[in-house]
Amino acid sequence: MANEVTPRRRVKKEKSMWIPGIIVLLLFLFVSFSYYAYQIVYTANVDTKGQDTYVYIPTGADYKQALDSVEATGVIIDRLSLRFMAKLMDYDELVKPGRYKIENGWGNRQLIGVLRLGEQSPLKLTFNNIRLRSQLAEKLATSVEPSAAEIDSLLNDQEYLQTLGFDTTTVVSMFIPNTYEVYWTITAPELMQRMKTEYDRFWTDERKAKAEKMGLSPKEVSTLASIVQAETIKNDEKPRVAGVYLNRLQKGMKLEADPTVVYAVRDFSIRRVLNVHLQHDSPYNTYRYAGLPPGPINVPDISSIDAVLNPEKHKYIYFCAKEDFSGYHSFAVTHAEHIANARRYQRALTQRNILK
């Protein structure tokens, strides 16, 4: 019949009907993929919930460990998209250790970009209230990547310390308590060298001249400053206390500083130095040995060092705690005056204990 469709023409017609559908499907897939790709690259994938967030990637960490560290912060919204972007940006070949701040609202591209470039966020390094080298090592290790053992090893390496101009008894004076900006990945030797640089910067020509005028080296100033610091927490009283010990040194008297005995015994729970403690044989026991001890008994801060360099001029050679328990001290020129001051304090202490 004339209007009858042949099989070949029917197949062509059916194929032509499928083509628009395939095109629509391909367009849909393309748009969907493009949208997802846009989300992976540009959409925010970090939610810090208003908290400062840092990721620490240790030296030697591989790609998996690095991404695990990032995800462990708990601020990544879509982990799959992050890992997909990391692969696209070849992060697996560019892992760099460091401490990185993750900003709220970052997309995957921003985050991976910072990590692969190694754009670390510096940290503020501070330390104070330190007595022993081991304590110093532990304190520093809480802020930077090197372990306390690594730092302590250098603090106890006599040969190494000599290259810096110190020894194991004086090295703590190289650490001037302040706030320093460093990177978390700083190595133990780099940290030591940085502290030496800061020490040299602190000891200006003016400070050195003041020390020399008193007949003291910078290390000896730090040693005396450590005693002053252990005696009083009042910064405005430190120059007066420093004056007492300088007067004693000039007269050839023993310093007889209780904090040096505590340090010698290495029992920092001691609240009252007794005769048994005074008998302890140690070069740090200034009741037994004249002059300054071999090195600082703590890490003296700047106010204590400057108090020694700028002491109050007076004739006091004795002092004891004030009876008002203010934290200040009563000073005396003669031993008789000192005994009277000490008795007033003891009476007040006894009365206070009775009232309790």
Side-chain angles (χ1 to χ4, degrees), residues 152-164:
D152 194 52
S153 176
L154 294 181
L155 291 174
N156 286 282
D157 187 334
Q158 195 80 285
E159 185 176 345
Y160 169 74
L161 294 178
Q162 286 176 356
T163 67
L164 299 176

Side-chain angles (χ1 to χ4, degrees), residues 40-41 81-89 108-109 112:
I40 291 175
V41 176
S81 69
L82 175 69
R83 290 181 177 265
F84 184 71
M85 192 66 202
K87 278 291 186 182
L88 286 179
M89 296 180 68
N108 292 322
R109 185 169 178 271
I112 299 301

Side-chain angles (χ1 to χ4, degrees), residues 214 216 223-232 237-261 286-287 291-293 297 307-308 311-312 314-320 329 331:
M214 291 188 292
L216 300 175
T223 296
L224 182 53
S226 72
I227 297 174
V228 171
Q229 181 162 299
E231 290 283 18
T232 180
E237 190 182 54
K238 287 179 179 179
R240 179 168 291 189
V241 173
V244 169
Y245 285 122
L246 287 169
N247 286 345
R248 282 181 163 265
L249 287 174
Q250 290 169 3
K251 291 177 179 292
M253 298 173 65
K254 293 176 182 176
L255 294 184
E256 297 186 349
D258 287 0
T260 66
V261 179
T286 56
Y287 276 84
L292 292 168
I297 61 173
V308 173
E312 183 178 308
H314 55 64
K315 296 183 179 181
Y316 298 131
I317 54 175
Y318 302 99
F319 66 96
C320 69
H329 295 80
F331 295 81

